[in-house]
Amino acid sequence: MKEHTVTIYDISEKAGVSIATVSRVLNNSSNVSENTRKKVLAAIKETGYTPNAFARGLGLNTMKTIGILTADSSDLYLAKAIYYFEEELRENGYDSLLCCTGYELKDKKAAIDLLISKKVDGIILVGSHFVYPDACDNKYIYGASEKVPVMLLNAEVEGDNIYCVSSDDHDSVYRATMKLVESGHKNVLYYYNTTSYSGHLKERGFRDAMKDAGIEVTERQFQFFDGSNEDIHGMSAQLEKAASAGLKFDAVIASDDTLALSAVKYAQAKGYNIPDDFSVIGYNNSMLTNCCDPEITSIDNKVETLCKHLTSILLGVLSGEEMPKKTVFKADIIEKGTTRLNKD
Amino acid sequence: MKEHTVTIYDISEKAGVSIATVSRVLNNSSNVSENTRKKVLAAIKETGYTPNAFARGLGLNTMKTIGILTADSSDLYLAKAIYYFEEELRENGYDSLLCCTGYELKDKKAAIDLLISKKVDGIILVGSHFVYPDACDNKYIYGASEKVPVMLLNAEVEGDNIYCVSSDDHDSVYRATMKLVESGHKNVLYYYNTTSYSGHLKERGFRDAMKDAGIEVTERQFQFFDGSNEDIHGMSAQLEKAASAGLKFDAVIASDDTLALSAVKYAQAKGYNIPDDFSVIGYNNSMLTNCCDPEITSIDNKVETLCKHLTSILLGVLSGEEMPKKTVFKADIIEKGTTRLNKD
DNA sequence: TTGTAAGCGTTATCAG
DNA sequence: CTGATAACGCTTACAA
C-alpha cells in the first residue's frame, strides 16, 4: 500500500470538478459557486490535503520568505530584533529564513548568495556590522539589491532597492555625553567594542560633544574591547588595567550595555560610589541594565519601533509601493541609578 | 528589453548540449566528459546562471530546510540554542526556517502546520514548552512526526519519528539541592517560572532531594513567578513580598538564571551577606550569572553540546540511519560566589 | 461559473 | 557519454 501524497488532482476527482476550480477555491479566487466551493472544501478537509509549496513557488516564483541575516542571533540586541522581525513578517504571511553569519565578510557574502539562490523575496541585514567603512566591501549589498529589496537595520547604504532604518546614534551619544559633562564629569571614558558603521557614529557623537564642551580628549580615553560579547570579566579587567596604568576617569559611556555593566562592576570593585563618584551610561537599554545595583542609565534606541517600521517598509516595497529609502528615529536616554544628570 | 531570467535551457543552448547534460554537471552527476563539462561551466559562469530552487524542490521534494520552532527567540537560553542549531545545520547544507510561536498552544500548532506546508525536511522544537502535562495537548507533535522527523530539545515525548535530546534536569536540581542542604541550609526556597516538562523535572528534583534529606517542605516554599522573563524587578518584589508575609528562607534555588539574579538583588537589598547568610543557585549558567557581585553559582546544562548532538541525530535520521530516540546528558554545577558548598 | 491546456525549471528514466 | 521526454503539482490565460 504505497503512500500517495494527496494532490490537487485527488481533490478535483473527489469533488468532481477540474483542478482549476480547486485552485480557485484554494486561492479564494473570483467566481466559484457556493455549491462547488463547499464540495471542494469538503474533499480537502476529508483528505487533509495541503498544497505543495514547491509547485506553488514554481508557478508564482515566490514562497513568501524573507531572508534574515545577522552576525550572531544570540546577541541580546540582535535576538530581540530578530524576534520582532519574525513576528511582524509572519503576521503578514511571510516566513523567515535565518542566517547567522558571524562577523567575517566572506561568510556574509556566502550567506546572502545562498539566500538569494533560495529565492527569498527580500533580505534584512540586522545590525550595523554588515556595512564596512571601505565602500568596496559593501559591493555585495548592491549585488543582492539587484535581485531583491535589501533592508538595513542600524546601518546606511545608498542605492537602488536598498532601504535603511536606524536610530540616530550620533545624536544620542552626543546628548548623553553632554549630560555627563554638564553634571560635572570631566574625565569620561568611551568604552566600545565595535567599529561598525553605527559604532563610528557613536564615537563621533562622543567626540563632537567633548569638543563642543571644550574638553580635550586623548586617545587613551577610547577603550576598545576586543573580546567576546559575554565576557564581562574581561571587560572589567580591561578598565582595571587602564586605571592602574594611570588613566583617570570618573565616568564611562559605553557602546553597549554589556560594557556598561562591566564598568559598574569595575567601579564597585574599586569601592567607588555610584553615581556620586562614578557614572555609567549604557546603550540599548536591555535587561542587563536592571541586573545590577544601582541600575544602569542607558540609551534606548527603541528596537521594537525600528523593527516594525522596517518590516512595514519592506512589505510596502514588496507590494510595489514607493517607500522612504532612509528612516531615522531619535533615541531616548533612560535615566536610572548610575547617573545623576542635571537637566533635561 | 524584457528581463529574461536565465534557465537551464539557456545554458544548454549556449553550451550546445541538452538540458539533461547541464543538469548532470550541475549535480556532479556521473559520466560527463571533461570537455562538455567545461563548456557547460563556461556558459554558466558567463551568464551567472543559478538553478531555480523551486523547480528543484518540486523535482526532489525537498529544499533542504529545517523548521525551528521556539517560544521566544529573544530568550537568552533559547537564542543560544537557535544559534547553535542554525550554525550546525548550515554547515551541513540545511537552512533554517525560524518560527517564534509564543507560549500559546494554538499558535504552536499553527506554526508547525505552516512549516510542514512549506515542506521543511525536519522540525526542531526548542525548549520544553512544547510538551504539555496533558498528553492530549501533545497530539500535534505526533501529527507533525507523521510527515517529518521531529526533534525535541529539553523535552521528552515518545513516538515514531520523534527524537529527544535533553539534560537531566531532575538529577541536576537534586544534586544542587542536596549540596545546599549539606552545607547547612534548612530553608531553601524553590523559585520557578515555568510549568513545562523540564520545569516539572526540576521541581521533582528539588522535592526528592528535600525528602531524601529528611526535610519537610511546605507549599509556600514553591514560589511561582508568573511574569515577563525580563522583569527582574517583579521577581525580586515577589520574594520580598513572600518574606514580609513571614516566609523564612536562607537560600534560593531557581529554575532560571534570571530568577536567581533577582534573588541576589533581593538578598542584597535586605542587607544579607552572600553567601554567608544567604545562598543562590541558578540554572543555565548564562552570562547573567556574571552580571552581579558575587557571581551566581549555576547549573550548566551544556546547551552547545545538546544542540550539536541533536543536530547530528537529525542529520542521521534524514540520511536514513537508525538513531537513538532519547539522549540524556548530565549537567554540571558551576560553583561561583553565591554558594559555599561543602563537598563535591 | 467551469474546464482545458500551456507553462514554471528542474530531475530522472530511458534509449541510443 | 548524451539526448528526448516524462514527471513534479500548481496557477492562469483562454475557451466554453
mmCIF file of all heavy atoms in Angstrom, chain A residues 224-245:
data_model
loop_
_atom_site.group_PDB
_atom_site.id
_atom_site.type_symbol
_atom_site.label_atom_id
_atom_site.label_comp_id
_atom_site.label_asym_id
_atom_site.label_seq_id
_atom_site.Cartn_x
_atom_site.Cartn_y
_atom_site.Cartn_z
ATOM 1 N N PHE A 224 38.926 50.262 23.449
ATOM 2 C CA PHE A 224 38.277 49.295 22.571
ATOM 3 C C PHE A 224 38.402 47.905 23.181
ATOM 4 O O PHE A 224 39.504 47.450 23.467
ATOM 5 C CB PHE A 224 38.924 49.321 21.190
ATOM 6 C CG PHE A 224 38.353 48.297 20.248
ATOM 7 C CD1 PHE A 224 37.037 48.407 19.798
ATOM 8 C CD2 PHE A 224 39.120 47.224 19.815
ATOM 9 C CE1 PHE A 224 36.504 47.472 18.926
ATOM 10 C CE2 PHE A 224 38.588 46.272 18.946
ATOM 11 C CZ PHE A 224 37.278 46.402 18.504
ATOM 12 N N PHE A 225 37.291 47.262 23.391
ATOM 13 C CA PHE A 225 37.342 45.898 23.920
ATOM 14 C C PHE A 225 37.177 44.915 22.780
ATOM 15 O O PHE A 225 36.174 44.916 22.069
ATOM 16 C CB PHE A 225 36.243 45.671 24.954
ATOM 17 C CG PHE A 225 36.244 44.260 25.491
ATOM 18 C CD1 PHE A 225 37.229 43.842 26.381
ATOM 19 C CD2 PHE A 225 35.290 43.341 25.079
ATOM 20 C CE1 PHE A 225 37.249 42.542 26.855
ATOM 21 C CE2 PHE A 225 35.301 42.039 25.552
ATOM 22 C CZ PHE A 225 36.286 41.635 26.444
ATOM 23 N N ASP A 226 38.144 44.057 22.669
ATOM 24 C CA ASP A 226 38.170 43.153 21.529
ATOM 25 C C ASP A 226 38.024 41.717 22.018
ATOM 26 O O ASP A 226 38.951 40.932 21.983
ATOM 27 C CB ASP A 226 39.506 43.325 20.791
ATOM 28 C CG ASP A 226 39.541 42.500 19.528
ATOM 29 O OD1 ASP A 226 38.458 42.160 19.022
ATOM 30 O OD2 ASP A 226 40.651 42.193 19.060
ATOM 31 N N GLY A 227 36.845 41.409 22.495
ATOM 32 C CA GLY A 227 36.654 40.046 23.002
ATOM 33 C C GLY A 227 35.204 39.654 22.890
ATOM 34 O O GLY A 227 34.408 40.343 22.248
ATOM 35 N N SER A 228 34.872 38.564 23.529
ATOM 36 C CA SER A 228 33.509 38.065 23.435
ATOM 37 C C SER A 228 32.518 39.032 24.062
ATOM 38 O O SER A 228 32.790 39.689 25.057
ATOM 39 C CB SER A 228 33.405 36.721 24.139
ATOM 40 O OG SER A 228 32.075 36.502 24.539
ATOM 41 N N ASN A 229 31.387 39.055 23.460
ATOM 42 C CA ASN A 229 30.275 39.872 23.884
ATOM 43 C C ASN A 229 29.774 39.520 25.279
ATOM 44 O O ASN A 229 28.989 40.235 25.867
ATOM 45 C CB ASN A 229 29.144 39.627 22.896
ATOM 46 C CG ASN A 229 28.522 40.921 22.485
ATOM 47 O OD1 ASN A 229 28.796 41.939 23.092
ATOM 48 N ND2 ASN A 229 27.693 40.870 21.465
ATOM 49 N N GLU A 230 30.182 38.373 25.767
ATOM 50 C CA GLU A 230 29.657 37.927 27.049
ATOM 51 C C GLU A 230 30.722 37.919 28.133
ATOM 52 O O GLU A 230 30.469 37.519 29.259
ATOM 53 C CB GLU A 230 29.074 36.515 26.894
ATOM 54 C CG GLU A 230 27.995 36.453 25.852
ATOM 55 C CD GLU A 230 27.144 35.202 25.984
ATOM 56 O OE1 GLU A 230 27.537 34.276 26.714
ATOM 57 O OE2 GLU A 230 26.080 35.170 25.347
ATOM 58 N N ASP A 231 31.871 38.365 27.769
ATOM 59 C CA ASP A 231 32.984 38.274 28.701
ATOM 60 C C ASP A 231 33.050 39.490 29.615
ATOM 61 O O ASP A 231 33.931 40.340 29.493
ATOM 62 C CB ASP A 231 34.278 38.111 27.904
ATOM 63 C CG ASP A 231 35.488 37.972 28.808
ATOM 64 O OD1 ASP A 231 35.297 37.725 30.021
ATOM 65 O OD2 ASP A 231 36.617 38.126 28.312
ATOM 66 N N ILE A 232 32.125 39.548 30.549
ATOM 67 C CA ILE A 232 32.063 40.679 31.476
ATOM 68 C C ILE A 232 33.381 40.820 32.248
ATOM 69 O O ILE A 232 33.880 41.922 32.453
ATOM 70 C CB ILE A 232 30.917 40.480 32.484
ATOM 71 C CG1 ILE A 232 29.639 40.042 31.783
ATOM 72 C CG2 ILE A 232 30.720 41.727 33.328
ATOM 73 C CD1 ILE A 232 28.666 41.110 31.531
ATOM 74 N N HIS A 233 33.911 39.697 32.654
ATOM 75 C CA HIS A 233 35.185 39.697 33.369
ATOM 76 C C HIS A 233 36.255 40.436 32.595
ATOM 77 O O HIS A 233 36.902 41.341 33.101
ATOM 78 C CB HIS A 233 35.694 38.261 33.549
ATOM 79 C CG HIS A 233 35.068 37.560 34.676
ATOM 80 N ND1 HIS A 233 35.175 37.995 35.968
ATOM 81 C CD2 HIS A 233 34.313 36.444 34.709
ATOM 82 C CE1 HIS A 233 34.500 37.170 36.750
ATOM 83 N NE2 HIS A 233 33.969 36.230 36.012
ATOM 84 N N GLY A 234 36.426 39.992 31.375
ATOM 85 C CA GLY A 234 37.455 40.583 30.541
ATOM 86 C C GLY A 234 37.258 42.083 30.390
ATOM 87 O O GLY A 234 38.217 42.861 30.390
ATOM 88 N N MET A 235 35.997 42.467 30.277
ATOM 89 C CA MET A 235 35.700 43.880 30.090
ATOM 90 C C MET A 235 36.090 44.695 31.325
ATOM 91 O O MET A 235 36.701 45.756 31.217
ATOM 92 C CB MET A 235 34.211 44.067 29.810
ATOM 93 C CG MET A 235 33.749 43.401 28.519
ATOM 94 S SD MET A 235 31.957 43.512 28.310
ATOM 95 C CE MET A 235 31.721 42.405 26.909
ATOM 96 N N SER A 236 35.707 44.175 32.481
ATOM 97 C CA SER A 236 36.071 44.877 33.713
ATOM 98 C C SER A 236 37.588 44.925 33.853
ATOM 99 O O SER A 236 38.161 45.950 34.228
ATOM 100 C CB SER A 236 35.489 44.160 34.929
ATOM 101 O OG SER A 236 34.091 44.175 34.894
ATOM 102 N N ALA A 237 38.197 43.802 33.541
ATOM 103 C CA ALA A 237 39.648 43.712 33.701
ATOM 104 C C ALA A 237 40.353 44.761 32.864
ATOM 105 O O ALA A 237 41.351 45.358 33.297
ATOM 106 C CB ALA A 237 40.117 42.318 33.312
ATOM 107 N N GLN A 238 39.825 45.007 31.699
ATOM 108 C CA GLN A 238 40.482 45.987 30.834
ATOM 109 C C GLN A 238 40.415 47.384 31.443
ATOM 110 O O GLN A 238 41.375 48.151 31.389
ATOM 111 C CB GLN A 238 39.838 45.970 29.446
ATOM 112 C CG GLN A 238 40.454 47.020 28.533
ATOM 113 C CD GLN A 238 40.139 46.772 27.072
ATOM 114 O OE1 GLN A 238 39.867 45.632 26.677
ATOM 115 N NE2 GLN A 238 40.158 47.816 26.275
ATOM 116 N N LEU A 239 39.295 47.702 32.061
ATOM 117 C CA LEU A 239 39.173 49.006 32.715
ATOM 118 C C LEU A 239 40.150 49.099 33.881
ATOM 119 O O LEU A 239 40.828 50.110 34.073
ATOM 120 C CB LEU A 239 37.737 49.220 33.199
ATOM 121 C CG LEU A 239 36.672 49.388 32.114
ATOM 122 C CD1 LEU A 239 35.305 49.589 32.745
ATOM 123 C CD2 LEU A 239 37.011 50.564 31.197
ATOM 124 N N GLU A 240 40.197 48.027 34.617
ATOM 125 C CA GLU A 240 41.105 47.974 35.760
ATOM 126 C C GLU A 240 42.543 48.218 35.306
ATOM 127 O O GLU A 240 43.289 48.982 35.909
ATOM 128 C CB GLU A 240 40.968 46.594 36.428
ATOM 129 C CG GLU A 240 41.982 46.302 37.501
ATOM 130 C CD GLU A 240 41.967 47.343 38.612
ATOM 131 O OE1 GLU A 240 40.848 47.764 38.993
ATOM 132 O OE2 GLU A 240 43.066 47.738 39.078
ATOM 133 N N LYS A 241 42.866 47.567 34.218
ATOM 134 C CA LYS A 241 44.221 47.676 33.695
ATOM 135 C C LYS A 241 44.520 49.110 33.252
ATOM 136 O O LYS A 241 45.579 49.670 33.561
ATOM 137 C CB LYS A 241 44.368 46.722 32.505
ATOM 138 C CG LYS A 241 45.798 46.374 32.162
ATOM 139 C CD LYS A 241 45.840 45.253 31.130
ATOM 140 C CE LYS A 241 47.014 45.413 30.179
ATOM 141 N NZ LYS A 241 46.787 44.690 28.912
ATOM 142 N N ALA A 242 43.545 49.683 32.561
ATOM 143 C CA ALA A 242 43.728 51.061 32.109
ATOM 144 C C ALA A 242 43.925 51.984 33.305
ATOM 145 O O ALA A 242 44.777 52.878 33.294
ATOM 146 C CB ALA A 242 42.526 51.499 31.282
ATOM 147 N N ALA A 243 43.138 51.743 34.346
ATOM 148 C CA ALA A 243 43.218 52.595 35.536
ATOM 149 C C ALA A 243 44.580 52.456 36.204
ATOM 150 O O ALA A 243 45.210 53.450 36.565
ATOM 151 C CB ALA A 243 42.106 52.236 36.511
ATOM 152 N N SER A 244 45.024 51.227 36.327
ATOM 153 C CA SER A 244 46.293 51.075 37.024
ATOM 154 C C SER A 244 47.454 51.532 36.162
ATOM 155 O O SER A 244 48.555 51.746 36.663
ATOM 156 C CB SER A 244 46.490 49.642 37.535
ATOM 157 O OG SER A 244 46.109 48.703 36.588
ATOM 158 N N ALA A 245 47.192 51.706 34.875
ATOM 159 C CA ALA A 245 48.230 52.285 34.024
ATOM 160 C C ALA A 245 48.202 53.803 34.114
ATOM 161 O O ALA A 245 48.914 54.494 33.383
ATOM 162 C CB ALA A 245 48.033 51.833 32.579
#
